[in-house]
Amino acid sequence: MKSFFVLTLFPEMIEGTLSHSITGRAIKEGIINVEAVNIRDFTMDKHRHVDDYPYGGGAGMVMQPQPIYDAYKSIADKAGKARVLYMSPQGRRFDQKMAEELSKEDSLILLCGHYEGVDERVIEEIVTDEVSIGDFVLTGGELAAITIIDTVSRLVPGVLNKEESYENESFSDGLLEYPQYTRPPEFMGRKVPDILLSGHHANIDKWRREQSIIRTYQKRPDLLEGAELTDKEKKFLNTLKRNDEEK
Ligand code: 4GX
């Protein structure tokens, strides 16, 4: 079983969010396990404070090392030699490739900081990886941890059922997904492409693959660098590029 341990000041954010939908089902079925550890439960302070003013002055507060270290120690044996991910805008950028790498680990520990961050000494002591989910500033690490757990969970065997399976999805081959349609066949005067109603599965596959290439070229051309294209598909892409140059 894959276990995620989250060191956080807001355990309800973690458990409340991941208890829904696909991750919620996977937890119920015992395929994954999510344990939120409340850092505040480990404070020795009579007022249960977990932060203090920064040495050297400056704005904001810094999370103290001792409650975080003790929260970590409380799960360290259960978590084995698990990697400890520190959510931070300064970290390595999280992407699907990192998710695949993390999905192979038995357990993961995720540390969520707040305020101006965490005392550097406890980071040096316990953190193995500093991870960012993007170049923007959250109010705390919880949404980053939830994002990582959600993304990694769906790669764990058994979490997705056949219908939800990820064989054809974005990024598995480095391309964006083709457009999807369902009933009715006409909506606000807009028809579903005829080919999808034709029943010719080989033609449909070819059309979808072309749509994926067109979309990736139009919306995320940066992804084409790493995409897996056949020689025929590379030629198709080159005709798209040439058509654009003519305009
Ligand atoms: N991807 N945040 C962490 C506290 C903090 C401040 C400074 C380290 C240094 C974020 C992100 C993110 C907000 C979580 C600041 N930690 N985390 N928090 N983007 O913005 O992961």
Side-chain angles (χ1 to χ4, degrees):
M1 193 212 333
K2 183 154 194 84
S3 287
F4 300 93
F5 298 93
V6 187
L7 311 180
T8 171
L9 290 173
F10 300 96
E12 316 78 22
M13 277 183 81
I14 307 295
E15 281 163 354
T17 306
L18 294 169
S19 65
H20 296 279
S21 185
I22 292 172
T23 48
R25 183 184 67 204
I27 292 167
K28 275 202 194 116
E29 290 178 350
I31 305 165
I32 61 167
N33 179 42
V34 178
E35 192 172 319
V37 182
N38 190 346
I39 294 167
R40 202 177 297 280
D41 288 346
F42 295 86
T43 178
M44 309 281 213
D45 181 287
K46 68 174 171 189
H47 301 291
R48 306 234 306 156
H49 287 150
V50 291
D51 60 336
D52 208 333
Y53 300 99
Y55 278 122
M61 302 293 271
V62 176
M63 287 175 74
Q64 294 173 286
Q66 173 270 319
I68 292 173
Y69 186 70
D70 289 350
Y72 164 76
K73 289 296 274 182
S74 78
I75 48 104
D77 285 347
K78 263 194 287 185
K81 291 221 180 315
R83 285 161 72 172
V84 179
L85 278 44
Y86 176 46
M87 304 307 114
S88 151
Q90 294 158 43
R92 171 179 161 206
R93 180 69 153 272
F94 181 69
D95 60 11
Q96 197 63 26
K97 184 170 152 277
M98 199 194 304
E100 274 158 29
E101 175 191 318
L102 294 175
S103 72
K104 293 178 179 105
E105 302 280 328
D106 264 350
S107 296
L108 291 173
I109 301 171
L110 298 95
L111 170 59
C112 304
H114 265 261
Y115 320 112
E116 300 309 308
V118 168
D119 187 300
E120 193 67 22
R121 293 164 297 178
V122 74
I123 298 172
E124 290 170 5
E125 189 64 30
I126 69 172
V127 169
T128 61
D129 304 86
E130 201 168 342
V131 182
S132 168
I133 63 162
D135 291 339
F136 42 77
V137 184
L138 299 167
T139 60
E142 283 75 15
L143 285 173
I146 290 164
T147 300
I148 290 172
I149 294 169
D150 184 277
T151 308
V152 171
S153 291
R154 58 193 294 293
L155 300 175
V156 172
V159 168
L160 297 186
N161 63 34
K162 224 181 184 175
E163 285 72 48
E164 296 155 350
S165 141
Y166 44 84
E167 266 171 48
N168 269 317
E169 80 189 350
S170 293
F171 298 120
S172 60
D173 51 13
L175 294 174
L176 299 181
E177 271 180 83
Y178 48 78
Q180 299 277 16
Y181 300 86
T182 186
R183 288 194 289 178
E186 186 174 333
F187 174 72
M188 307 276 281
R190 296 168 193 272
K191 288 192 163 64
V192 173
D194 279 336
I195 191 159
L196 297 178
L197 309 174
S198 71
H200 289 105
H201 291 292
N203 289 351
I204 291 171
D205 287 349
K206 182 167 178 283
W207 180 84
R208 284 178 164 170
R209 188 78 189 163
E210 284 175 4
Q211 290 295 313
S212 283
I213 295 167
I214 293 167
R215 283 197 154 187
T216 310
Y217 174 62
Q218 287 173 344
K219 299 186 190 201
R220 291 293 307 277
D222 57 299
L223 293 177
L224 288 169
E225 300 273 329
E228 292 166 34
L229 298 181
T230 65
D231 285 350
K232 257 194 173 159
E233 289 168 344
K234 282 177 192 157
K235 283 187 183 136
F236 177 69
L237 176 61
N238 282 332
T239 63
L240 292 178
K241 289 182 183 170
R242 246 176 278 122
N243 276 340
D244 270 4
E245 282 161 17
E246 280 164 27
K247 280 179 198 156

